[in-house]
Amino acid sequence: MHAPPRGLVYAIYYTVLAVIAVPVNVVAIVILSRSNCGLSRCISRYLVSMAATDLLVIITAVILNRIPAIYFPGSYLSITPVCSFSTAIIYAARDSSVWLTVTFTFDRYVAICWQKFKAKYCTHRTASIVVAVVCTLGCVINIPWYFLHEPIYVINNVPWYCKTSSVLYSFLLWIVFYWTDRLLTPCIPFLLILSFNALTVRHILVASRARRRLRSCSLGERQSDPEMESRRKSIVLLFAISGCFILLWMPYVIYFILSRFQIGYTINGYSNAIFILMESANMFQMLSCCTNTFIYAVTQTKFRMELKRLMKFPLNNSHSLSLSRK
């Protein structure tokens, strides 16, 4: 966990990101929780949970970590115990967000490709259990990060700032933990999402060709297919979310792979190429925490209607108050 960089570009980026990401995730949580978007309760549960964990990532990683380090260096948030706790929370929120995207992708894969298993698995109860397990494990497996930091300075017996302890690279147990953490996020999720989407696409192509042949034989002409249209909307939502995740996490995966060949490499200054790649990867990673709401607005007609209704609510409320006073 390196110290957040300072500079005009980073200051503007993280400030704008926080200003945009917090309200859009709150709006997504409010709208999806009302279940008026034409989505099943199962899908809504996943999407609300993803928005909540994305919001937590923005609060912990951007508002309580990046922005204070840029604008208020040396604040109480830089004390080593606070900084260590913050790091553990950031990783827990990040892992939960990533793996909820994986479980949502798997849920849609089951719904589309395994019709017999769909009735048992794709339910609101199962989704609630999966979300609870993912978030619990996300917190538990990241507890060790609290103990893997040591202070950079000690001033008047107060430890300041955090740096990764050398035990992470020298003791076998901690080395295993480090590699497990990196594989669990984002390498394995990255591969799982690609695999589930590839299998889903393959199934859709085969099923669509078979269904078109069947309908052409029975109807004799092309007509609208309500089932295929409903499935198409679900697929668009799935591919938009998972595709955006893959694109925005790609720089992080590239950095992770390249860093394995840079053992012992020292970063000197903010202009260093490896540092720029690392920080760009972090910026894209955090950007992924505010894109889902825009995806809903683009792909879901009823979500746009609910969004317009929510935006008009303060105006309608103030108009009603003014009429009542008269």
Side-chain angles (χ1 to χ4, degrees), residues 37-308:
C37 297
L39 301 171
S40 67
R41 295 180 65 199
C42 173
I43 296 177
S44 297
R45 171 65 68 183
Y46 281 114
L47 298 185
V48 169
S49 303
M50 289 161 62
T53 52
D54 285 345
L55 177 62
L56 186 58
V57 171
I58 294 298
I59 292 174
T60 56
V62 177
I63 297 177
L64 297 180
N65 182 268
R66 299 276 160 151
I67 291 178
I70 294 171
Y71 290 101
F72 312 105
S75 67
Y76 72 93
L77 293 173
S78 299
I79 298 175
T80 302
V82 177
C83 156
S84 298
F85 180 76
S86 173
T87 300
I89 294 296
I90 290 170
Y91 284 151
R94 180 204 63 177
D95 289 1
S96 298
S97 175
V98 169
W99 278 96
L100 284 175
T101 304
V102 175
T103 55
F104 170 72
T105 306
F106 178 73
D107 178 89
R108 293 300 86 201
Y109 163 71
V110 171
I112 295 170
C113 303
W114 297 90
Q115 292 296 314
K116 293 182 179 179
F117 188 45
K118 174 183 176 181
K120 294 181 179 180
Y121 183 81
C122 301
T123 64
H124 180 263
R125 181 176 181 275
T126 300
S128 299
I129 294 173
V130 170
V131 168
V133 170
V134 168
C135 293
T136 301
L137 290 177
C139 294
V140 171
I141 64 176
N142 284 289
I143 290 175
W145 282 112
Y146 177 81
F147 304 98
L148 283 172
H149 292 88
E150 56 189 25
I152 298 178
Y153 308 109
V154 177
I155 303 174
N156 295 328
N157 294 323
V158 178
W160 288 91
Y161 301 102
C162 289
K163 68 175 180 179
T164 305
S165 175
S166 58
V167 299
L168 186 61
Y169 311 104
S170 56
F171 286 86
L172 179 61
L173 181 63
W174 290 118
I175 293 174
V176 171
F177 167 77
Y178 174 78
W179 276 96
T180 302
D181 176 78
R182 289 299 179 264
L183 290 175
L184 287 176
T185 306
C187 295
I188 293 178
F190 204 81
L191 294 175
L192 286 176
I193 289 175
L194 286 174
S195 300
F196 290 142
N197 282 340
L199 292 172
T200 303
V201 169
R202 179 177 175 273
H203 176 85
I204 290 169
L205 293 176
V206 173
S208 297
R209 283 195 292 265
R211 190 171 180 83
R212 277 198 299 268
R213 286 196 299 267
L214 180 62
R215 287 179 63 84
S216 63
C217 293
S218 60
L219 299 177
E221 58 181 3
R222 296 183 62 184
Q223 295 187 12
S224 62
D225 189 341
E227 182 178 336
M228 291 302 296
E229 182 64 22
S230 176
R231 182 177 294 184
R232 185 189 67 81
K233 293 180 180 179
S234 178
I235 292 167
V236 168
L237 178 62
L238 167 65
F239 287 174
I241 292 175
S242 55
C244 186
F245 171 86
I246 290 171
L247 287 175
L248 293 178
W249 275 84
M250 182 71 76
Y252 191 92
V253 174
I254 293 173
Y255 164 71
F256 171 75
I257 295 173
L258 291 178
S259 64
R260 299 310 95 198
F261 300 96
Q262 301 289 337
I263 298 175
Y265 183 83
T266 302
I267 296 176
N268 298 315
Y270 294 156
S271 60
N272 182 276
I274 297 297
F275 176 84
I276 293 174
L277 175 61
M278 175 175 61
E279 193 54 41
S280 298
N282 287 327
M283 293 166 75
F284 279 112
Q285 170 196 332
M286 293 179 192
L287 179 61
S288 68
C289 293
C290 70
T291 55
N292 284 351
T293 304
F294 296 103
I295 291 173
Y296 307 150
V298 171
T299 62
Q300 302 295 308
T301 304
K302 290 186 178 181
F303 185 90
R304 290 196 298 271
M305 294 172 59
E306 288 296 311
L307 179 60
K308 291 177 182 178

Side-chain angles (χ1 to χ4, degrees), residues 1-22:
M1 191 74 176
H2 67 282
R6 297 168 191 164
L8 183 61
V9 172
Y10 300 113
I12 294 174
Y13 177 83
Y14 287 117
T15 302
V16 172
L17 180 62
V19 169
I20 294 175
V22 170

